[in-house]
Amino acid sequence: MTEHPTNREGGVDVPQEPTGREHRLADVFVTLADTLVNGFDVVGLFDDLAGACVELLEVTAAGLMLVDPAGRLRVMASSSERSRLLELLEIQNDAGPCLDCYHSGQPVLIGDLGATNGRWSEFSEEAGRVGFAAVYALPMRLREETIGALNLFHRQPNALTDAGLRLAQAFADVATIGILQQRTVQRSADLAGQLQVALNGRLIIEQAKGVLAERENLDMPDAFEMLRAYSRRAGRKLSEVAQAVVAGDLSTRDLTSPRTRRENPADRGGSSPGFGR
Amino acid sequence: MGADGGAPVDGRGAASLLDRICRACVDSLPITGAAVSLMTLDGHRGIVSATDGTARRIEDAQYTTGEGPGVAAFETGCAVLVPDLDPSRTAALHAWPAFREATIGLPARALFAFPLRLGAASLGALTLFHVDVAVLEGANLATAVRLADAASLALLDFIAGMSDRAEASPSSVIDAEYFRSEIYQAAGMVMEQLGVNIEVAMVRLRSHAFAMGRPTGDVARDIVRRRLRFEQDND
């Protein structure tokens, strides 16, 4: 985090943000609102949110998890597709801040993982190995029900400000709204159905990654990046692109076609922090 | 699906598991009967399990008319909930005139159908009915979705010809391993390796793991790490 030497008067701890970042924040919310109002794609929205967390909150990594009907936390999106981050998210099904956050419906804020006194030992050790010193889990809540959580990871302890946490909770709330918003598009009647569609959408992404990994001899993160880059370049929904790849309706030539390429291709994915194996 | 001459279709164990899943629907939800049908995109359909004659006739009607809640769920990938089949109370969205015609006189007033999908692999549908007007929501709907998840996996096993699931319970079917990302990544790779569609790839992955006596997740990991390849000629 950049230094914020002055706080606004009157108690609320809002740091003075650099103007560029305020512009980016505005951009991100415009994009999110646009996604919610226009053609809808939960998987793509979640992917955007994970990226926005890293960019605007300056955390090292972010992941969004949804609870499936059997009560398990499943990864819906992460700022890096590198496997160690995914595994770190997934091992929380045994024990971890995300699981506690889901059960309590309250934020679980661990500014210093070194001071947890053996709580979530497996998770803490793995987080340390990946290079994280702090973890924050924020609930995706809908009234009384918690449907998932946003996980933020930071290399440095105690680096996330209160303002940052409030923004993070807003991102988590947008994700919740996104799940609900599907309903109007998909005419499915209830939250359980919405979650099911969202979770299955993520599995389609995994299948599409496999297709591209095999066809192009890519590793899975790069296969995902190919999907994401095309989706942005062509202005098509991520889940729709994945579906088309699995259905065999999108060739590699389509995916890499320069005709849809713009000067400024996907700016985020390639610069993901390196949690490489 | 299955047209590539994969594993022999025995599937009795998986079928009885599907029977138990349908039975669990009736036992745990405010509904009268349940059925699971296998469907393919080119219109092939078959009833795999039904708890009673009415459930079976609803499936038959969907098969002959090519429409109805199960067909709609299969095609759209979304749950289709019709609390009251009375035309004056149901939106035009669920018109299905031929299906209605074919089910006149059946003691089924409410219908609920769930897609049986594993990612992009569309396998069939679970259709529930109730003799009277009924609403499926909240915890009941979550239970139905969970049982539909179990049915998706059991249907995959059925297609893969698995026959040793006699002792599996509906809840034990949905173990975490089935939803591991690597299984879906591996299925995408197998699709390319064999030149088959995603449904067949999922089935081949599952039947290979079964034949080797290994967890599907372990086989999937080998494929993703390129230690194992499926070849077009064997396996």
Side-chain angles (χ1 to χ4, degrees):
Chain A
M1 275 266 165
T2 26
E3 288 291 305
H4 303 298
T6 54
N7 280 348
R8 216 176 273 168
E9 282 182 21
V12 190
D13 182 25
V14 182
Q16 297 292 317
E17 306 291 0
T19 324
R21 199 174 140 201
E22 274 172 13
H23 278 300
R24 270 306 293 150
L25 184 57
D27 284 348
V28 165
F29 268 100
V30 167
T31 306
L32 293 175
D34 188 55
T35 309
L36 290 167
V37 171
N38 293 312
F40 198 73
D41 177 22
V42 167
V43 180
L45 172 70
F46 278 36
D47 185 55
D48 288 343
L49 283 169
C53 287
V54 170
E55 184 183 350
L56 292 168
L57 303 171
E58 296 174 17
V59 293
T60 314
L64 280 149
M65 304 193 77
L66 273 187
V67 177
D68 74 10
R72 273 186 314 269
L73 292 163
R74 281 161 55 182
V75 179
M76 279 295 292
S78 59
S79 57
S80 161
E81 289 280 312
R82 293 287 156 194
S83 61
R84 290 185 70 181
L85 176 60
L86 294 179
E87 281 165 14
L88 187 58
L89 290 165
E90 280 175 352
I91 61 173
Q92 297 189 70
N93 269 304
D94 295 324
C98 197
L99 188 67
D100 288 6
C101 171
Y102 162 60
H103 283 311
S104 68
Q106 299 297 320
V108 175
L109 312 174
I110 311 299
D112 185 358
L113 268 169
T116 53
N117 296 322
R119 202 168 156 205
W120 319 304
S121 55
E122 193 193 355
F123 169 82
S124 297
E125 279 169 30
E126 182 59 24
R129 268 197 292 277
V130 182
F132 297 133
V135 58
Y136 309 88
L138 299 158
M140 288 173 56
R141 275 180 64 186
L142 180 66
R143 294 180 285 275
E144 299 307 305
E145 200 166 356
T146 306
I147 60 172
L150 168 65
N151 264 220
L152 305 173
F153 298 92
H154 211 297
R155 270 194 209 92
Q156 290 157 9
N158 304 312
L160 198 56
T161 61
D162 285 348
L165 283 171
R166 285 199 297 276
L167 184 53
Q169 185 61 59
F171 284 142
D173 293 343
V174 169
T176 306
I177 294 164
I179 292 288
L180 297 175
Q181 182 75 3
Q182 283 186 112
R183 160 180 334 200
T184 57
V185 182
Q186 287 161 340
R187 301 185 289 210
S188 188
D190 199 280
L191 181 62
Q194 305 302 320
L195 286 170
Q196 187 70 353
V197 170
L199 289 162
N200 198 58
R202 179 67 212 190
L203 300 182
I204 299 174
I205 300 272
E206 300 302 336
Q207 289 168 337
K209 281 162 62 180
V211 169
L212 294 179
E214 176 67 19
R215 201 197 283 164
E216 306 303 318
N217 200 24
L218 301 171
D219 67 8
M220 293 300 163
D222 287 344
F224 182 76
E225 196 43 50
M226 187 180 232
L227 287 173
R228 178 151 70 189
Y230 173 78
S231 152
R232 292 186 177 174
R233 215 161 56 226
R236 292 180 63 180
K237 295 169 197 161
L238 187 57
S239 59
E240 186 187 293
V241 170
Q243 180 80 47
V245 166
V246 178
D249 296 337
L250 261 183
S251 68
T252 306
R253 206 167 153 189
D254 297 328
L255 285 165
T256 54
S257 165
R259 267 181 302 144
T260 47
R261 185 166 291 166
R262 289 195 215 116
E263 276 312 298
N264 186 21
D267 50 356
R268 169 155 66 81
S271 62
S272 309
F275 309 111
R277 287 150 293 180
Chain B
M1 184 178 315
D4 67 321
V9 176
D10 171 341
R12 270 171 306 167
S16 68
L17 174 58
L18 281 163
D19 289 345
R20 286 199 297 283
I21 291 169
C22 286
R23 178 51 52 195
C25 289
V26 174
D27 291 345
S28 52
L29 298 169
I31 56 150
T32 313
V36 167
S37 278
L38 179 69
M39 302 184 191
T40 65
L41 289 169
D42 53 9
H44 289 287
R45 311 227 150 95
I47 304 168
V48 181
S49 179
T51 53
D52 59 56
T54 302
R56 187 167 290 277
R57 287 175 65 188
I58 291 168
E59 293 307 288
D60 281 339
Q62 297 197 78
Y63 181 78
T64 29
T65 63
E67 60 183 43
V71 174
F74 172 75
E75 287 173 351
T76 63
C78 299
V80 174
L81 310 177
V82 187
D84 187 349
L85 206 52
D86 183 331
S88 62
R89 291 159 201 256
T90 300
L93 167 67
H94 303 311
W96 312 314
F99 171 77
R100 270 170 205 284
E101 183 77 25
T103 51
I104 283 174
L106 279 185
R109 183 84 183 264
L111 288 167
F112 311 102
F114 299 86
L116 302 183
R117 283 195 177 192
L118 297 166
S122 300
L123 304 176
L126 167 69
T127 304
L128 315 174
F129 80 92
H130 190 59
V131 288
D132 207 344
V133 173
V135 175
L136 206 54
E137 61 186 3
N140 278 334
L141 189 63
T143 298
V145 168
R146 193 169 69 242
L147 287 163
D149 263 353
S152 300
L153 298 165
L155 189 54
L156 181 71
D157 285 0
F158 173 77
I159 302 164
M162 292 184 54
S163 53
D164 74 335
R165 309 282 290 173
E167 69 296 331
S169 69
S171 57
S172 75
V173 174
I174 332 173
D175 62 57
E177 113 143 0
Y178 270 114
F179 294 105
R180 270 179 38 193
S181 303
E182 280 169 331
I183 291 177
Y184 297 84
Q185 294 166 1
M189 293 177 74
V190 168
M191 199 183 129
E192 284 292 300
Q193 289 167 7
L194 295 179
V196 295
N197 65 26
I198 190 65
E199 286 85 2
V200 172
M202 292 290 296
V203 168
R204 293 293 287 273
L205 177 60
R206 187 78 181 119
S207 57
H208 177 90
F210 177 59
M212 296 290 132
R214 302 179 63 199
T216 311
D218 290 2
V219 173
R221 175 163 294 195
D222 281 355
I223 293 169
V224 169
R225 295 187 179 173
R226 300 180 203 267
R227 292 195 292 243
L228 172 67
R229 277 186 67 82
F230 281 35
E231 302 295 339
Q232 299 222 11
D233 295 334
N234 50 35
D235 190 74

